[in-house]
Amino acid sequence: MRVAVVDLGTNSTRLLVADVADGVLTEVERRTDVTRLGEGVDATGELAPAAVERVFAALERYRPAIAGADVAVAVATSAVRDAANGAAFCAELGERFGLAARAISGEEEARLTFLGATDGRPADGETLVIDIGGGSTEYVTGVPGGPPAFHVSTRLGSVRQTERHLAHDPPLAAELAALAAEVRAVVEAEIPAAVRAGATRGIACAGTATSLAAIDQELDPYDSARVHGYELTLAAAERMLAMLAALPVVERRGVTGLLPERAPTIVAGVVILVESMRLFGLDRVEVCEHDILHGAALEAASGHP
């Protein structure tokens, strides 16, 4: 079965087209556009018309690939579920593009992310999957091959925390400290100490982690084969955070390995990752390109979207 899945995130719109047979997923096409759907949602409570139009423009480019799939679904995450006009937005996606679109809960987002990130991995210990999005960050722990033992969707995100804390360009030290303090407070309040201590390995998904893997290797152009599975150390993440935070956005856009459209929000994303690794006691994480898209594709192909 050929499946097309669109992930309507707070910061990016992504497409995965894959063939799924006997529970095994084979990628056919993968695309990403930074559309900033969640721009301003934290302050206004609604999706902005300009942001919606950016998503529609991306989906127009994806239309041929979507049309060739047996099943086409869209999962909308933090920005859409937080927005008063999120349901109307999903309905319009169905009318315009034939997508079965729905806003999923934070719990379901965490479950699908864990399914995608750990698919095919050996059951070799308690694993943390961390997925840093634009409006939320999911923390999921469990043993690969089984259901999550713990999961939480937090209101930490690269877009949300940029808008809340980083008013200057480049950000002030006090702004970075306030952002880091909020991350620590949220993680400590929402994730029990025993859960944090129990994770023996970490997997980091989504744009912050993949960007850091590309920057660390100075990849130009981006190379998925070298990003997926890359071992990102805490020391390297801390070093790149200092470098990125010292640059104004216009110079950050020129950093090798960083998609220019991610430059405005990458600093907040890296702060979230660094503080999370510290709190979980992880000196390294594995960067993973398999995330909620893969989980949603496997579930859609199983007949239970």
Side-chain angles (χ1 to χ4, degrees):
M1 177 181 291
R2 178 154 292 185
V3 180
V5 179
V6 175
D7 172 27
L8 300 159
T10 300
N11 198 44
S12 59
T13 299
R14 302 185 301 148
L15 169 72
L16 171 67
V17 179
D19 290 332
V20 183
D22 299 323
V24 177
L25 184 150
T26 303
E27 283 195 18
V28 175
E29 183 176 354
R30 188 181 179 111
R31 299 181 65 174
T32 299
D33 285 273
V34 176
T35 48
R36 298 289 298 278
L37 178 61
E39 186 174 21
V41 167
D42 196 45
T44 68
E46 291 196 343
L47 302 172
V52 169
E53 288 303 321
R54 290 195 294 268
V55 172
F56 288 164
L59 292 176
E60 284 292 349
R61 295 189 290 272
Y62 301 169
R63 189 186 287 275
I66 293 170
D70 299 307
V71 176
V73 301
V75 290
T77 54
S78 176
V80 178
R81 65 175 174 253
D82 289 349
N85 55 347
F89 170 71
C90 287
E92 191 165 357
L93 290 174
E95 294 170 5
R96 286 198 183 201
F97 303 101
L99 286 167
R102 62 198 175 97
I104 61 174
S105 67
E107 177 180 350
E108 188 170 5
E109 184 176 357
R111 182 179 60 79
L112 290 175
T113 297
F114 189 79
L115 173 62
T118 61
D119 180 48
R121 291 177 177 271
D124 56 358
E126 194 78 4
T127 300
L128 164 70
V129 175
I130 176 172
D131 181 358
I132 301 171
S136 66
T137 294
E138 281 63 52
Y139 298 88
V140 198
T141 64
V143 176
F150 173 88
H151 54 82
V152 65
S153 179
T154 67
R155 289 174 65 82
L156 297 172
S158 60
V159 174
R160 191 189 301 274
Q161 267 56 47
T162 296
E163 293 179 351
R164 285 187 180 182
H165 293 285
L166 307 185
H168 291 81
D169 182 27
L172 303 179
E175 294 172 336
L176 293 168
L179 197 166
E182 182 184 25
V183 174
R184 290 194 297 272
V186 169
V187 171
E188 290 173 345
E190 300 194 28
I191 305 174
V195 172
R196 287 184 268 127
T200 58
R201 56 186 294 190
I203 299 173
C205 305
T208 293
T210 57
S211 295
L212 289 181
I215 294 169
D216 207 23
Q217 299 176 85
E218 299 184 341
L219 298 182
D220 186 16
Y222 185 90
D223 185 348
S224 294
R226 294 180 63 184
V227 168
H228 183 62
Y230 184 73
E231 186 178 86
L232 177 67
T233 66
L234 176 59
E238 291 170 335
R239 171 178 52 79
M240 286 184 279
L241 173 58
M243 179 270 290
L244 292 166
L247 298 175
V249 170
V250 66
E251 294 182 26
R252 218 179 286 151
R253 293 183 190 276
V255 171
T256 302
L258 179 64
L259 192 67
E261 293 88 346
R262 291 197 183 277
T265 60
I266 187 65
V267 171
V270 181
V271 171
I272 294 168
L273 180 60
V274 165
E275 294 300 328
S276 298
M277 291 176 69
R278 290 171 176 167
L279 288 166
F280 274 84
L282 297 171
D283 64 356
R284 65 198 63 235
V285 292
E286 180 184 333
V287 177
C288 181
E289 286 209 329
H290 299 171
D291 51 24
I292 190 172
L293 281 170
H294 283 69
L298 289 166
E299 188 158 272
S302 75
H304 302 285

